[in-house]
């Protein structure tokens, strides 16, 4: 997506030392931003408190009222946003490379819809809260399976996958809405989460389960990164390098599905984050590397946490879900992307 | 190991369509083999079959007597490299990052980048004259430079056998010769076995020790270029009237089409 720069200027700036420095600066500023945002989300709310008090309350020190507010309400919500954002960022990064399509993201290929439906189905059936991530991942996998079945005949060709995914996503989102209408009592409290995406009211039980699984999924994605890089060469070259391309693509797809589904189990079908994050990372650090996968996770976490803060405190409307902010930002972003894609200078990489 | 590829009764299909049929071939190890033939005669398909990218619907491909489909993908990739006709260049990738991917078959899932890997990459860049381009994005290179970068990837793979699918297509004459000279040098220095698909019969005769001529997926002729390439063969395979004279520079066969050489199907019918 990086715009073409004059060759001579580009030659120097892509030297590896320079890229490494950019990665480090990006990572450091991302971590700093995350810390500032986290502190802000722990201190602000109906009971504002100084940063020191909030951080002490986080570890259980100080006024018991402060401890309760920070530990039981603010912290799980913030951590949920961080974990879900990281999963979405990394999932988008993997999917856009795997599909060789800058518009690919879990909410485009049906994974988010499947995860939401899985979670909603479990809630409607009266299952306990701890089972929700399981339902989400199951739903995500099922939607990926559905996608695979529909797109299999074309040998999992990229355009077919994307088009089929769009249809699957639309169908699943409609099914979620049907469930909410059919089971109003069971789903009343969380309808917004499962239609627009929200991290409101998350509890530690949900957060820890999903976070643990997320760490595993992220580690797997990093381990498989080399295969992803070889797949970038196309099936012929990748095959000649000894990569079993279908198996590798399936493994990476499963990891991306797990990342996106776990994110959806915490935040619902949040749009925009998975789509935008890989582009932001690429804009700063250039062509993708293993490091950009990690940076995508970090950027996603920062983005979702920041969006959630905006929703909570900066907008005059009460109770707005975070997905509404990301979608509002996402629509113009998508237009910009399409515009840049169709500009004549841009080479097609389909 | 002599790096000899043999096929027996090889059938290659895309779906129901038989592209290569009943092929019995021996490609000598330690030699340069050129595969020639008209468009759509199955040259590229044969290369895909030889490199395990396409499974035969009948028959076998063996490397030094072992069926390549009984070898693991990784084992084969350590012995045989392939440069496809139109390789996919990942967006904005630098030359060095591209060449590093050639080390994939030598790396384990969690093994870090080793000194041996870096040495192989440095040598491949050096050997193809792309060292000064290592930090350049591949998609901004000229056609000739890009082809060198891709050959460097295949060299970093460090294989005894190198399969090249039309390595000179889309290149001007100077860069065609540049690539062919590089291939000849790789063969001469390290005794590498090279199998390449070429279009230009004169270039094939110049640079190859062994020639395989295909027509409609079947073997039309095979052997040393001087023994194989004559006017009758060119007429029967390419439907072109010509004279075959010794190349004034090298003495290898040179195909000179007659002035109204292309046989019009309407006229011959």
């Amino acid at each position: 997506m990086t715009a073409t720069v004059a060759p001579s200027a580009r030659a120097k700036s892509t030297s590896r030392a320079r890229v490494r420095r950019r990665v480090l600066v990006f990572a450091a500023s991302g971590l700093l931003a995350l810390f500032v945002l986290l502190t802000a989300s722990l201190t602000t709310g109906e009971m504002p408190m100084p940063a020191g008090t909030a951080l002490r309350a986080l570890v259980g020190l100080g006024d018991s009222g402060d401890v309760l507010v920070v530990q039981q309400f603010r912290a799980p919500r913030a951590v949920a946003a961080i974990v879900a954002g990281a999963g979405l960022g990394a999932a988008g990064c993997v999917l856009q490379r795997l599909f060789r399509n800058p518009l690919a993201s879990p909410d485009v290929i049906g994974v988010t819809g499947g995860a939401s439906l899985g979670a909603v189905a479990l809630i409607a059936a009266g299952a306990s809260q701890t089972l929700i991530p399981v339902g989400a991942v199951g739903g995500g996998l099922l939607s990926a399976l559905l996608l695979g079945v529909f797109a299999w005949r074309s040998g999992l060709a990229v355009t077919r996958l994307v088009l089929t995914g769009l249809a699957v996503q639309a169908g699943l989102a409609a099914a979620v809405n049907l469930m909410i209408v059919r089971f109003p009592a069971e789903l009343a409290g969380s309808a917004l989460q499962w239609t627009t995406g929200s991290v409101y009211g998350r509890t530690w039980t949900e957060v820890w389960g999903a976070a643990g699984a997320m760490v595993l999924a992220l580690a797997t994605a990093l381990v498989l990164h080399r295969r992803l890089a070889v797949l970038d060469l196309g099936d012929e070259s990748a095959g000649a390098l000894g990569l079993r391309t279908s198996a590798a693509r399936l493994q990476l797809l499963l990891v991306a599905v797990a990342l996106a589904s776990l994110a959806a189990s915490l935040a619902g079908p949040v749009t925009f984050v998975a789509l935008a994050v890989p582009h932001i990372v690429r804009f700063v650090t250039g062509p993708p590397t293993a490091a950009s996968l990690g940076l995508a996770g970090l950027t996603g976490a920062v983005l979702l946490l920041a969006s959630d803060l905006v929703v909570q405190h900066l907008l005059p409307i009460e109770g707005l879900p975070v997905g509404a902010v990301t979608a509002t930002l996402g629509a113009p972003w998508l237009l910009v992307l399409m515009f840049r894609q169709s500009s004549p200078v841009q080479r097609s990489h389909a | 190991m002599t790096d000899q590829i043999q096929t027996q009764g090889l059938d290659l299909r895309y779906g129901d369509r038989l592209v290569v049929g009943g092929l019995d071939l021996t490609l000598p190890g330690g030699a340069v083999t050129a595969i020639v033939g008209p468009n759509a005669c199955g040259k590229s398909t044969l290369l895909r079959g030889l490199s395990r990218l396409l499974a035969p619907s009948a028959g076998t491909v063996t490397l030094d007597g072992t069926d390549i489909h009984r070898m693991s993908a990784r084992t084969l990739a350590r012995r045989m490299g392939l440069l496809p006709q139109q390789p996919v260049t990942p967006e904005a990738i630098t030359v060095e990052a591209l060449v590093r991917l050639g080390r994939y078959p030598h790396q384990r899932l969690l093994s870090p980048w080793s000194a041996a890997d870096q040495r192989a990459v440095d040598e491949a860049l050096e050997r193809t004259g792309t060292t000064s381009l290592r930090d350049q994005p591949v998609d901004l290179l000229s056609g000739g430079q890009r082809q060198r970068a891709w050959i460097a990837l295949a060299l970093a793979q460090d294989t005894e056998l190198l399969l090249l699918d039309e390595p000179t297509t889309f290149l001007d004459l100077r860069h065609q010769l540049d690539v062919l000279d590089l291939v000849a040098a790789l063969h001469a220095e390290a005794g590498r076995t090279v199998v390449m698909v070429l279009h230009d019969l004169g270039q094939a005769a110049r640079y190859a020790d062994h020639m395989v001529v295909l027509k409609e997926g079947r073997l039309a002729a095979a052997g040393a270029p001087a023994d194989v390439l004559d006017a009758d063969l060119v007429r029967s395979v390419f439907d072109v009237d010509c004279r075959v004279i010794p190349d004034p520079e090298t003495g290898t066969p040179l195909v000179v089409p007659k002035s109204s050489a292309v046989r019009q199907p309407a006229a011959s019918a």
Side-chain angles (χ1 to χ4, degrees):
Chain A
M1 288 315 298
T2 44
T4 38
V5 181
S8 54
R10 192 77 188 163
K12 291 270 185 313
S13 66
T14 47
S15 80
R16 276 179 304 154
R18 182 121 179 197
V19 169
R20 199 170 299 144
R21 199 158 56 238
R22 280 188 184 196
V23 166
L24 285 177
V25 171
F26 193 150
S29 25
L31 285 172
L32 184 67
L34 201 60
F35 180 75
V36 170
L37 289 169
L38 182 62
T39 314
S41 64
L42 294 182
T43 51
T44 49
E46 278 177 29
M47 260 179 63
M49 55 183 86
T53 315
L55 291 175
R56 276 160 48 86
L58 184 63
V59 290
L61 300 173
D63 177 72
S64 65
D66 291 350
V67 171
L68 178 76
V69 167
V70 170
Q71 279 194 346
Q72 296 308 315
F73 298 107
R74 290 178 186 170
R77 177 174 185 162
V79 174
I82 290 171
V83 173
L88 288 172
C93 199
V94 171
L95 285 175
Q96 288 183 4
R97 281 179 80 180
L98 205 55
F99 284 27
R100 280 189 215 117
N101 190 317
L103 300 176
S105 78
D107 38 302
V108 170
I109 64 161
V111 172
T112 314
S116 303
L117 186 61
V120 167
L122 278 192
I123 300 170
S128 83
Q129 231 177 26
T130 42
L131 281 176
I132 291 174
V134 181
V137 174
L141 286 174
L142 272 178
S143 70
L145 190 71
L146 204 62
L147 181 67
V149 169
F150 284 135
W152 187 259
R153 280 162 51 115
S154 61
L156 296 179
V158 172
T159 40
R160 178 69 75 91
L161 269 175
V162 172
L163 286 175
T164 313
L166 278 170
V168 169
Q169 173 70 21
L172 290 170
V176 169
N177 280 320
L178 272 179
M179 293 287 280
I180 289 170
V181 174
R182 175 69 185 78
F183 299 97
E186 291 85 346
L187 294 167
S190 56
L192 268 184
Q193 181 191 345
W194 300 114
T195 51
T196 344
S198 164
V199 280
Y200 170 75
R202 284 300 83 75
T203 63
W204 283 120
T205 334
E206 295 164 278
V207 172
W208 285 131
M214 189 71 87
V215 168
L216 274 180
L218 277 170
T220 314
L222 282 171
V223 167
L224 292 180
H225 178 268
R226 223 175 247 164
R227 295 184 187 171
L228 188 58
V230 172
L231 273 179
D232 279 350
L233 297 174
D235 283 11
E236 294 222 320
S237 300
L241 285 170
L243 183 72
R244 291 184 301 131
T245 50
S246 302
R249 199 172 288 130
L250 188 65
Q251 293 158 355
L252 284 156
L253 194 60
L254 286 179
V255 170
V257 166
L259 287 167
S261 305
L262 289 167
S265 79
L266 286 177
V270 171
T271 56
F272 172 62
V273 175
L275 178 70
V277 161
H279 296 281
I280 297 171
V281 172
R282 174 178 284 235
F283 187 72
V284 179
T285 63
T289 57
S292 39
L293 203 56
L295 290 180
L298 183 58
T299 311
V302 169
L303 209 59
L304 197 59
L305 188 57
S307 300
D308 194 43
L309 271 176
V310 170
V311 160
Q312 286 184 76
H313 308 300
L314 296 185
L315 293 179
I317 314 157
E318 278 292 308
L320 202 65
V322 67
V325 169
T326 62
T328 313
L329 292 173
W333 176 272
L334 201 65
L335 289 175
V336 169
L337 263 186
M338 301 282 257
F339 182 72
R340 284 183 47 176
Q341 275 283 297
S342 55
S343 80
V345 231
Q346 199 76 39
R347 285 203 310 132
S348 144
H349 288 271
Chain B
M1 286 191 278
T2 58
D3 305 314
Q4 176 176 286
I5 303 179
Q6 272 188 309
T7 71
Q8 275 186 334
L10 180 67
D11 282 2
L12 296 169
R13 286 171 196 273
Y14 287 121
D16 291 337
R17 196 163 63 88
L18 186 69
V19 182
V20 167
L23 211 57
D24 295 310
L25 270 184
T26 301
L27 305 180
V32 176
T33 298
I35 301 176
V36 298
N39 288 338
C41 70
K43 301 183 296 278
S44 296
T45 307
L46 174 60
L47 225 51
R48 288 171 54 92
L50 297 182
S51 56
R52 226 188 95 131
L53 292 176
L54 188 61
S57 53
T60 55
V61 178
T62 57
L63 174 57
D64 291 335
T66 311
D67 187 335
I68 59 166
H69 283 273
R70 288 176 187 273
M71 301 166 81
S72 79
R74 184 179 291 266
T75 310
L76 186 65
R78 287 179 179 179
R79 296 198 54 196
M80 184 193 283
L82 168 77
L83 175 56
Q85 188 179 350
Q86 285 177 294
V88 179
T89 303
E91 200 182 345
I93 195 169
T94 62
V95 171
E96 179 162 7
L98 180 78
V99 175
R100 283 164 76 104
L101 294 177
R103 298 304 294 166
Y104 180 75
H106 299 275
Q107 297 174 306
R108 293 264 150 223
L109 197 56
L110 289 171
S111 64
W113 184 252
S114 72
D117 290 329
Q118 189 58 47
R119 209 176 314 120
V121 167
D122 289 341
E123 277 173 20
L125 291 169
E126 185 68 41
R127 194 63 206 80
T128 51
T130 49
T131 306
S132 62
L133 303 174
R134 68 197 305 163
D135 293 324
Q136 299 254 17
V138 178
D139 39 16
L140 295 184
L141 300 181
S142 73
Q145 291 173 328
R146 195 176 308 168
Q147 196 64 310
R148 284 176 163 272
W150 276 96
I151 292 175
L153 181 149
L155 288 185
Q157 200 175 336
D158 195 16
T159 59
E160 289 301 311
L161 274 129
L162 208 50
L163 271 50
L164 308 166
D165 193 356
E166 297 196 21
T168 55
T169 311
F170 307 121
L171 298 182
D172 64 33
L173 184 61
R174 190 187 112 77
H175 289 104
Q176 289 182 20
L177 296 174
D178 192 44
V179 165
L180 290 170
D181 283 340
L182 174 59
V183 170
L186 294 175
H187 163 67
E189 287 160 16
R192 273 195 191 82
T193 306
V194 176
V195 179
M196 56 182 165
V197 172
L198 289 177
H199 261 303
D200 187 310
L201 296 175
Q203 285 179 353
R206 265 196 187 195
Y207 285 93
D209 310 305
H210 188 79
M211 199 169 199
V212 171
V213 187
L214 293 184
K215 186 191 182 187
E216 289 166 6
R218 312 241 162 217
L219 186 63
D227 301 336
V228 167
L229 202 56
D230 59 28
D232 287 342
L233 179 88
V234 176
R235 189 178 311 116
S236 70
V237 172
F238 290 91
D239 224 7
V240 167
D241 286 323
C242 70
R243 292 164 61 195
V244 174
I245 59 171
D247 186 322
E249 280 294 319
T250 55
T252 51
L254 182 66
V255 174
V256 181
K258 290 193 174 167
S259 51
S260 56
V262 178
R263 304 173 137 210
Q264 297 302 331
S268 62

